[in-house]
Amino acid sequence: MIVVHHLNNSRSQRVLWLLEELGLPYEIKRYQRDPATMLAPRELKAVHPLGKSPVLDDGDVRVAETGAIIEYLLDTYDLESRLRPARGTADGRRFTYWLHYAEGSAMPPLLLKLVFSQLPKRAPGLVRPLINGIAAKAQASFIDPQLKAHADWQEKELAATGWFAGAHFSAADIMMSFPLEAAASRAVDLAAYPNIARFLQTTHARSAWKRALERGGDYAYA
């Protein structure tokens, strides 16, 4: 039986979604964030030294990192390549790009946005005005322009087919769902990005997405 070590409000929701798309049976081992720090509990360090989620167990195989887990599941169980374009094709290369772009390029500015927006709230009262000024300048001069550049790029790429790796839905779209959801919740006005808005609406309508949400539980991106 496949076991997903699943942290609430985390990127591991995408692993549940892929498992539902593949129609594979799985169990969920749940972990809750500390309500004060929002960090993962120490119990996850017994699963992986970094104490991060997701981690997937499949018999004697243990895989960490969302992209690596998705590649493992596709290599092992998607034998008809329903959720991945053929390797060596233009769509196959696009698939690889977006699969790795999701965490490698899209998420860092979103994480910076989250950190710098929270800094003033967590700063001691006497230095809060100073920290607020520094955080505001960092966001205006670097973080927000980066987020706009990424959103503009994603919007343009979705214009052709509505998906990231060719004419059909793929696991690359599952990977890209989290940065797009996070951007919509904390950085991007979807009114200016109709293709991104349509992408999110279409993915939310998929029955596998709904089943994964039912099993994994509601989650927040902000």
Side-chain angles (χ1 to χ4, degrees), residues 163-209:
W163 304 116
F164 282 103
H168 305 287
F169 172 81
S170 74
D173 300 302
I174 294 177
M175 275 297 290
M176 282 300 299
S177 66
F178 192 94
L180 292 185
E181 297 270 19
S185 71
R186 69 181 79 141
V188 169
D189 181 3
L190 288 182
Y193 296 98
N195 293 329
I196 293 176
R198 190 177 304 111
F199 171 88
L200 293 175
Q201 292 168 0
T202 305
T203 56
H204 292 175
R206 294 184 71 85
S207 58
W209 184 90

Side-chain angles (χ1 to χ4, degrees), residues 122-199:
R122 298 175 180 270
L126 290 177
V127 299
R128 189 168 297 160
L130 175 63
I131 299 299
N132 186 62
I134 294 172
K137 185 174 182 179
Q139 292 185 71
S141 64
F142 176 72
I143 299 171
D144 290 344
Q146 282 289 307
L147 290 170
K148 183 180 185 306
H150 281 279
D152 290 346
W153 167 240
Q154 295 155 5
E155 177 75 7
K156 180 180 178 182
E157 288 296 297
L158 286 170
T161 67
W163 304 116
F164 282 103
H168 305 287
F169 172 81
S170 74
D173 300 302
I174 294 177
M175 275 297 290
M176 282 300 299
S177 66
F178 192 94
L180 292 185
E181 297 270 19
S185 71
R186 69 181 79 141
V188 169
D189 181 3
L190 288 182
Y193 296 98
N195 293 329
I196 293 176
R198 190 177 304 111
F199 171 88

